[in-house]
Amino acid sequence: MSDAADQIFATLKQSSQSGAPLYLQLRKSIEDAVNRGLIGPGDALPSERDIATKADISRVTVRKAVQDLVKGGILVQRHGSGTFVAPRMERVEQSLSRLTSFTEDMARRGMAVRSAWLDRGLYAPSPDEMMVLGLSSSELVARVSRLRIANDTPLAIERASLSASALPDPAGIGSSLYAALELTGNRPVRAVQRISAANLGDADARLLEVPPGVAGLHIERISYLASGKVIEFTRSIYRGDAYDFVAELRLTGPSEEGRP
Ligand code: 16G
């Protein structure tokens, strides 16, 4: 067992006089060790049995402390390989004034981008899609749903809907939706984006590799062509611990006051 792990138990011994339940004391010792950098992101935690033997407490107690830390996002468990200190997220700062694609945003930061497909195909449109995209019930909608991953970290789930006439072959877009739209002269030139807070449900949390219930950002983007026609209706869930959306604000002059 590493020196760092020994230090966790040294802290545990010091705090064992506090009278707090054992699992809380162990949880605090592990948390302190992470905060003080004694064990760092990606480091493996000793096995439950090792911790129990070393700290002379039951495995049930160890499991309870570890589960709490997994729920809190301090530790991550990978099936078959054990428990690790969660990787520290490099936050991505994203301007709210440029209409860029995920691929462009990540490439500009030198990050390697990939996507995992969740869905792609032509469907009968939902009432929301019909309303936003101006489709009739006899037309089809193209759906492109992807888990967006940068430097091997899943950052967002994006579910895009477009009219099938603008994207007749959603499976053929390659790695970038905007690049595919550009080829047919359908790349949006303007968008309205609505951002709201959301607690992640189980399925989304699993995809984004965060504990269920943690904070995320729900983003809805409606994008337009130069003609004013809506081209894209995308609903996304972004990781709250990964993104800072930044907008520049200016004092409006008297001539601009009252304008929308
Ligand atoms: C961005 C957009 C998304 C768009 C995607 C295209 C937000 C919240 N979302 O992630 O609406 O569909 O870029 O990216 O900014 P792609 O060209 O890499 O597929």
Side-chain angles (χ1 to χ4, degrees):
M1 202 185 296
S2 70
D3 294 349
D6 280 336
Q7 296 193 50
I8 299 177
F9 306 116
T11 342
L12 182 65
K13 274 189 203 116
Q14 285 158 26
S15 67
S16 60
Q17 314 300 335
S18 74
L22 266 178
Y23 90 91
L24 284 180
Q25 293 181 30
L26 176 61
R27 191 181 78 183
K28 186 163 182 319
S29 305
I30 299 174
E31 222 170 346
D32 285 350
V34 172
N35 290 337
R36 287 162 55 197
L38 298 175
I39 40 175
D43 286 352
L45 211 69
S47 71
E48 240 173 57
R49 184 186 303 139
D50 283 349
I51 300 180
T53 313
K54 189 98 183 171
D56 195 20
I57 51 184
S58 78
R59 283 180 69 172
V60 176
T61 304
V62 177
R63 191 166 308 146
K64 197 159 169 1
V66 168
Q67 287 310 328
D68 261 24
L69 291 166
V70 169
K71 266 194 218 132
I74 311 276
L75 302 177
V76 284
Q77 268 173 331
R78 299 202 188 104
H79 283 297
S81 52
T83 306
F84 301 83
V85 178
R88 194 170 296 124
M89 239 359 264
E90 284 266 346
R91 292 182 77 87
V92 172
E93 201 168 282
Q94 176 69 45
S95 163
L96 279 175
S97 54
R98 279 192 302 268
L99 180 53
T100 47
S101 73
F102 187 88
T103 306
E104 292 163 341
D105 291 337
M106 297 306 139
R108 198 157 21 89
R109 297 183 173 92
M111 294 168 99
V113 193
R114 62 191 170 87
S115 299
W117 284 102
L118 304 175
D119 188 13
R120 51 185 158 176
L122 299 176
Y123 296 90
S126 70
D128 277 0
E129 289 168 330
M130 281 166 62
M131 199 173 68
V132 175
L133 295 167
L135 297 173
S136 71
S137 54
S138 60
E139 289 174 293
L140 292 178
V141 69
R143 291 194 191 135
V144 169
S145 299
R146 294 168 292 172
L147 178 66
R148 312 301 309 258
I149 304 162
N151 283 359
D152 287 332
T153 304
L155 291 183
I157 300 166
E158 292 187 337
R159 300 182 171 99
S161 303
L162 298 93
S163 83
S165 57
L167 190 69
D169 178 20
I173 65 159
S175 56
S176 165
L177 173 63
Y178 280 13
L181 292 176
E182 183 132 36
L183 289 177
T184 55
N186 280 323
R187 180 166 175 148
V189 297
R190 185 173 78 83
V192 174
Q193 201 157 285
R194 190 176 288 269
I195 305 180
S196 48
N199 291 107
L200 300 188
D202 289 1
D204 287 348
R206 203 171 313 117
L207 286 170
L208 292 171
E209 295 178 8
V210 291
V214 300
L217 295 163
H218 178 263
I219 305 181
E220 186 184 280
R221 182 184 281 195
I222 299 179
S223 311
Y224 300 83
L225 298 175
S227 64
K229 188 180 183 311
V230 173
I231 179 73
E232 171 198 15
F233 174 37
T234 296
R235 285 160 287 188
S236 309
I237 296 284
Y238 275 65
R239 273 174 67 154
D241 62 345
Y243 263 84
D244 288 320
F245 285 94
V246 180
E248 186 183 279
L249 310 175
R250 289 172 193 263
L251 182 67
T252 49
S255 60
E256 285 163 290
E257 260 171 38
R259 284 196 199 168

